[in-house]
Amino acid sequence: MGYAQLVIGPAGSGKSTYCSSLFEHCETIGRTMHVVNLDPAAENFNYPVAMDIRELISLEDVMEDFGLGPNGALMYCMEYLEDSLHDWLDEELENYRDDDYLIFDCPGQIELFTHVDVLKNFVEHLQQKNFKVCVVYLLDSQFITDVTKFISGCMSSLSAMVQLELPHVNILSKMDLLQDKSNIDDYLYPEPCTLLAELNQRMGPQFAKLNKALIEMVGVYGMVNFIPLNLRKERSIQYVLSQIDIYSNKIKIIKEMNLIELLPWVLSHRLHMFQGWCDKSHQCAMRSIDCMTLLNRFKVNLVYVAT
């Protein structure tokens, strides 16, 4: 069984830089990964390109042959890729073993992962080839400078989650470039009431019901969570990679453990979705209902033990 990351996100969110840094990190720790370029407009790479869509079709050729603009030409290229899955992609995948790890560096056009079926069909084809795929959604950390940008980024991520229907890890990129980190926890671990109050202050009263629904989706139900990534810190890269491994089931999680055993495990791995605390009697209270969803997903059986 092979493993793959589908690296997506808005243009300029740092996808190619992420792929390059992850490749270098894995090379350092002795872990083999292959980076695939799916952007027909890309020109320069800071990583060895294992597979390149430009060998199949290039943006420049499409613009010249059909008189299309950049966006129209890119959509044409991606649709051409979709039509070539059983030919070009299958032939390229024959060069890799069943247990290889591929990272797909995707274009930044947002429609590709929100309402167009190209990437969804691409992933389904990978799954038919026995690949377990995890989506890695990158969002520029500048989106957490105020609540309106944060909600906008969350909705974009959620749209991709609904469209692709895959294990999904959201990453706040370019954390090393974020100057003011004083309020970062307000968005990494959002308090619904605080977010709603800030959003209502920024928007007119006619949007009150909409604001409440959006905050409930993000804060109360824990539909979208982000992991900060600082590419200048190896520890940050390793942590993000460990989360992706967990979500893609590459790491086998212990099936049964009691509460006393679970908490040190959570703390040592800093598993992002567990936002719990334990009082003196070891009774656990979860801040997000998504914690239980995650536990069920990985079939971890909690035994609540009080002393």
Side-chain angles (χ1 to χ4, degrees):
M1 176 176 291
Y3 294 87
Q5 292 183 32
L6 191 72
V7 182
I8 63 175
S13 58
K15 297 182 294 297
S16 295
T17 303
Y18 163 82
C19 293
S20 173
S21 299
L22 188 61
F23 176 84
E24 292 177 1
H25 173 78
C26 291
E27 194 174 41
T28 300
I29 65 176
R31 182 171 175 179
T32 302
M33 285 191 174
H34 309 280
V35 186
V36 180
N37 173 47
L38 288 186
D39 188 352
E43 295 180 354
N44 302 313
F45 302 96
N46 293 323
Y47 53 78
V49 182
M51 295 160 44
D52 194 344
I53 189 178
R54 297 177 305 169
E55 297 176 357
L56 174 69
I57 190 170
S58 72
L59 185 78
E60 185 177 352
D61 290 342
V62 172
M63 291 177 64
E64 182 178 344
D65 294 343
F66 298 100
L68 297 173
N71 288 333
L74 187 137
M75 292 305 300
Y76 182 94
C77 291
M78 298 308 292
E79 290 172 355
Y80 190 86
L81 169 65
E82 183 180 9
D83 294 335
S84 306
L85 293 177
H86 295 282
D87 301 319
W88 178 78
L89 183 61
D90 285 355
E91 183 178 344
E92 292 289 337
L93 289 176
E94 289 177 359
N95 298 322
Y96 300 94
R97 300 188 303 270
D98 290 340
D99 59 345
D100 276 339
Y101 201 130
L102 304 180
I103 305 173
F104 292 93
D105 188 2
C106 298
Q109 272 64 17
I110 194 170
E111 57 267 31
L112 289 174
F113 43 85
T114 55
H115 60 274
V116 176
D117 289 334
V118 173
L119 287 182
K120 184 176 182 179
N121 293 334
F122 179 85
V123 166
E124 289 177 354
H125 188 78
L126 285 177
Q127 291 173 327
Q128 292 172 5
K129 294 296 179 180
N130 206 28
F131 275 87
K132 293 186 72 68
V133 185
C134 179
V135 173
V136 178
Y137 185 94
L138 269 70
L139 187 70
D140 193 325
S141 58
Q142 297 300 320
F143 271 83
I144 64 172
T145 55
D146 64 67
V147 66
T148 53
K149 290 182 179 180
F150 174 71
I151 295 299
S152 175
C154 287
M155 292 302 102
S156 175
S157 170
L158 187 58
S159 179
M161 292 169 63
V162 172
Q163 171 72 3
L164 296 173
E165 299 180 297
L166 289 170
H168 192 106
V169 175
N170 295 306
I171 294 176
L172 281 177
S173 62
K174 305 182 181 180
M175 287 298 297
D176 52 309
L177 302 179
L178 188 64
Q179 297 180 351
D180 184 12
K181 297 182 175 67
S182 59
N183 63 341
I184 184 174
D185 285 347
D186 295 340
Y187 299 106
L188 293 178
Y189 313 105
E191 291 291 343
C193 293
T194 303
L195 288 181
L196 182 58
E198 292 181 11
L199 196 58
N200 286 334
Q201 287 179 355
R202 296 291 300 273
M203 303 178 68
Q206 67 270 29
F207 297 106
K209 291 184 179 180
L210 175 62
N211 292 343
K212 185 174 183 294
L214 292 174
I215 295 302
E216 285 180 349
M217 189 180 304
V218 174
V220 178
Y221 297 110
M223 295 296 293
V224 183
N225 293 273
F226 289 95
I227 303 174
L229 173 61
N230 186 339
L231 292 177
R232 295 184 180 181
K233 297 182 178 180
E234 289 294 317
R235 184 172 56 184
S236 179
I237 300 174
Q238 180 58 45
Y239 174 61
V240 167
L241 183 58
S242 69
Q243 301 308 295
I244 296 169
D245 285 341
I246 291 172
Y247 274 78
S248 60
N249 284 339
K250 190 168 177 61
I251 294 178
K252 184 177 181 181
I253 297 180
I254 300 173
K255 288 188 176 180
E256 286 195 11
M257 56 180 69
N258 63 36
L259 184 60
I260 309 304
E261 294 169 336
L262 176 66
L263 289 178
W265 181 85
V266 171
L267 293 174
S268 64
H269 288 77
R270 296 177 63 196
L271 184 56
H272 182 68
M273 295 297 293
F274 287 100
Q275 298 175 4
W277 56 270
C278 188
D279 64 18
K280 294 181 180 180
S281 63
H282 304 295
Q283 294 174 335
C284 189
M286 297 293 183
R287 289 177 53 192
S288 171
I289 64 169
D290 206 49
C291 298
M292 298 310 299
T293 302
L294 187 66
L295 288 171
N296 292 330
R297 180 181 303 172
F298 294 117
K299 302 185 184 335
V300 178
N301 181 26
L302 275 177
V303 180
Y304 291 85
V305 180
T307 59

